Amino acid sequence: MNHDKMAARPHVEQQRPLPHAFVILFFLALLAAIVTWFVPSGSFERITNADGRSVIVAGTYQAIDSPGIGPFEFFNAFFEGMKSGSSIIFFLVIVGGTFGVLRRSRAIEGLVHFLLVKLKGREILIIPLMMTFFALCSGTYGMIEGSIVYIFILLPLARRIGYDAVVAAAIPLIGTAIGYTGSFLNPFNVGVAQSIAELTLFSGMGYRFVCWLAFVALSIGYVMFYARRVQARPERSVVYGLAPPDEEGPGDHVDLTPRHLLILGAFALALVAIIAGVSAFGWYLKEMAGVFLLLGIVTGLLANMRANTIAGAFSTGCKDMMDGALAVGLAFTIVVIVQHSEIIDTIIHSLSTLIGDTSASAAALGMFAMQSAMNFIVTSGSGQAALTMPIMTPIADLAEVHRQVAVLAFQFGDGISNAFTPTAGWLMAGLTIAGIPWSRWMRFMLPLIALLYALGAVLILLATLVVWPLA
């Protein structure tokens, strides 16, 4: 089996150690602190709209006197970053604990063996099926953080087929990011942006669904091409030579038992409950964490574990997740530094000035570029919409660009970079779980990034000139 080639590498490459995710994030935070001494501070006036959101008042930017981030404030920002990301951090820790119990039950290994038997010769179908699932979840109800828990299941499955950890991580991470990019029913990005732009909620859904299909098809094709190449020649993997986490023995097969089926049924039921809760009842991380905690306990009981065994497996799972959880806090630190120095409004003002007096097509592409740049600083879709759409809306009117195009430029800029920016805590957490250094992930992502931005530009021009032209 091709997995044997992946597992039985002659040696692990002796090379210069790659930067740890914490090192990358620390130096990005340091760079952000240095920038605060060179970019002047400023602010827009803000009002609370009818939906209770704080939005910017266009044309009210004023420079203010605010010092840059000093050494003491810089190190304090790490605590503030952990505090700001605490809800996501604790959610990930609880999920990690639950998957620790799930792994102890061996139900995942049983499922992997069952799928390999049923899909023998057609294993590649896992990629389009699963990526479409993740893209639908993020394109409709905005699933982001919840997607990374699937990496635990996909890692052993990918290795047994003969793929690498990059494929296992790409399925949920790229699938979710691209679904977010082409969102057609997501209340957190399209919904917020359209309400600020005073458009009918979820209007223009038809063209957005076409965009979603285009982004998903391109991404699936790219991941399938990479997976086939790695399966045929393992040395072409971008993580070749790196010791994978939790390496399995090639002959470690576990039959799927009735007890495993009960555990997997509980897992499926928990996911259905989360999807229903998020879409119908407004659940978020707190409620999702509660469901996963309950799932961990139920899994242990169904696996006939003693209380101490459940607790020990949960503790081990929490420890395994700590690197990923702390990466979220470090990513939030960068946002805290930029926010406390009050340079975000200056960046928005400068970029909006550049877009100002241009043609409709150039203005639309400029909005796309601006939103892409802003997503490195503000990775929250709703947060970025609240910051930028009050500026983009009047700019669109002045440049004779339909407001639907302004929303489209926002969601494309907000979504594509989610798949590679190191300031996206959920991405860094997922890469840490999969044992993939960010530098290796970027080596894999660069061709796809170029294709996605090119596709986004074409779709925005098509929207500007054909779908939503202004008379």
Side-chain angles (χ1 to χ4, degrees):
M1 188 177 287
N2 282 322
H3 168 75
D4 296 347
K5 294 191 292 183
M6 293 293 292
R9 294 170 186 155
H11 68 280
V12 174
E13 294 177 7
Q14 296 299 316
Q15 59 184 343
R16 190 182 212 175
L18 293 165
H20 193 284
F22 292 1
V23 175
I24 294 172
L25 291 169
F26 177 86
F27 279 104
L28 285 174
L30 181 61
L31 177 62
I34 293 171
V35 167
T36 64
W37 287 92
F38 297 95
V39 177
S41 302
S43 68
F44 287 96
E45 290 182 15
R46 285 172 168 75
I47 60 172
T48 303
N49 65 10
D51 297 321
R53 298 189 185 94
S54 177
V55 297
I56 287 173
V57 179
T60 61
Y61 174 81
Q62 287 186 334
I64 60 175
D65 185 18
S66 178
I69 300 295
F72 188 65
E73 291 81 8
F74 172 72
F75 287 102
N76 284 347
F78 286 89
F79 177 85
E80 291 296 326
M82 295 291 175
K83 182 179 175 182
S84 297
S86 59
S87 58
I88 299 177
I89 290 171
F90 284 113
F91 168 72
L92 291 175
V93 170
I94 289 173
V95 168
T98 294
F99 271 87
V101 180
L102 191 60
R103 285 197 299 270
R104 180 69 67 88
S105 74
R106 312 278 330 256
I108 292 177
E109 287 87 343
L111 175 63
V112 167
H113 182 59
F114 174 80
L115 289 174
L116 289 176
V117 171
K118 292 297 182 181
L119 292 175
K120 187 173 181 60
R122 298 172 294 145
E123 297 91 347
I124 195 71
L125 293 178
I126 291 171
I127 295 174
L129 290 173
M130 292 299 294
M131 287 188 71
T132 300
F133 165 73
F134 289 117
L136 275 173
C137 290
S138 59
T140 53
Y141 74 89
M143 179 179 73
I144 289 289
E145 289 85 0
S147 66
I148 67 175
V149 303
Y150 293 85
I151 295 176
F152 287 111
I153 296 174
L154 291 168
L155 272 173
L157 181 59
R159 291 183 195 140
R160 290 278 296 278
I161 295 171
Y163 304 151
D164 61 5
V166 172
V167 175
I171 291 173
L173 296 181
I174 297 178
T176 301
I178 294 310
Y180 216 83
T181 301
S183 296
F184 47 94
L185 278 174
N186 187 339
F188 300 110
N189 60 355
V190 175
V192 174
Q194 286 189 327
S195 66
I196 294 173
E198 299 178 339
L199 295 167
T200 302
L201 192 62
F202 302 127
S203 55
M205 187 187 303
Y207 185 66
R208 285 187 170 82
F209 184 70
V210 170
C211 295
W212 180 89
L213 285 174
F215 280 118
V216 171
L218 174 60
S219 302
I220 288 174
Y222 181 81
V223 175
M224 290 177 70
F225 169 77
Y226 174 84
R228 286 192 183 279
R229 189 174 66 169
V230 169
Q231 189 179 43
R233 295 180 59 186
E235 69 274 10
R236 301 188 73 173
S237 166
V238 298
V239 292
Y240 182 76
L242 298 182
D246 301 323
E247 184 69 39
E248 298 174 352
D252 186 17
H253 300 314
V254 177
D255 291 328
L256 191 64
T257 67
R259 193 181 294 275
H260 290 157
L261 288 174
L262 287 174
I263 293 169
L264 293 171
F267 179 71
L269 185 61
L271 293 181
V272 170
I274 288 172
I275 292 171
V278 170
S279 56
F281 304 107
W283 285 11
Y284 193 45
L285 296 177
K286 179 179 71 175
E287 293 81 6
M288 291 167 64
V291 172
F292 272 107
L293 181 59
L294 176 61
L295 174 63
I297 296 171
V298 170
T299 296
L301 295 175
L302 290 175
N304 200 27
M305 297 181 193
R306 295 180 180 273
N308 280 354
T309 304
I310 296 174
F314 190 89
S315 176
T316 299
C318 291
K319 293 172 186 175
D320 292 341
M321 182 63 84
M322 280 310 299
D323 275 3
L326 291 175
V328 172
L330 290 172
F332 269 90
T333 299
I334 301 168
V335 178
V336 166
I337 288 171
V338 176
Q339 287 178 337
H340 282 193
S341 63
E342 298 185 275
I343 64 173
I344 289 182
D345 285 4
T346 300
I347 295 171
I348 293 174
H349 174 69
S350 300
L351 292 174
S352 62
T353 301
L354 291 175
I355 296 173
D357 301 323
T358 58
S359 66
S361 297
L365 292 176
M367 292 177 188
F368 179 31
M370 174 195 162
Q371 298 288 8
S372 299
M374 282 302 301
N375 200 49
F376 286 87
I377 303 171
V378 183
T379 55
S380 163
S382 55
Q384 187 177 339
L387 273 174
T388 60
M389 286 310 298
I391 300 296
M392 291 296 100
T393 301
I395 289 176
D397 294 341
L398 290 172
E400 297 186 341
V401 174
H402 199 288
R403 292 186 177 189
Q404 292 282 17
V405 178
V407 174
L408 199 69
F410 152 71
Q411 68 181 90
F412 287 3
D414 172 55
I416 293 174
S417 57
N418 280 332
F420 67 90
T421 173
T423 54
W426 72 280
L427 172 69
M428 298 302 286
L431 295 181
T432 303
I433 292 168
I436 304 170
W438 182 78
S439 57
R440 296 293 183 102
W441 177 255
M442 281 303 298
R443 188 187 303 177
F444 161 75
M445 282 295 299
L446 278 175
L448 179 59
I449 292 167
L451 291 171
L452 291 172
Y453 276 121
L455 176 60
V458 170
L459 292 172
I460 286 173
L461 286 176
L462 184 62
T464 305
L465 301 175
V466 179
V467 182
W468 292 303
L470 284 180

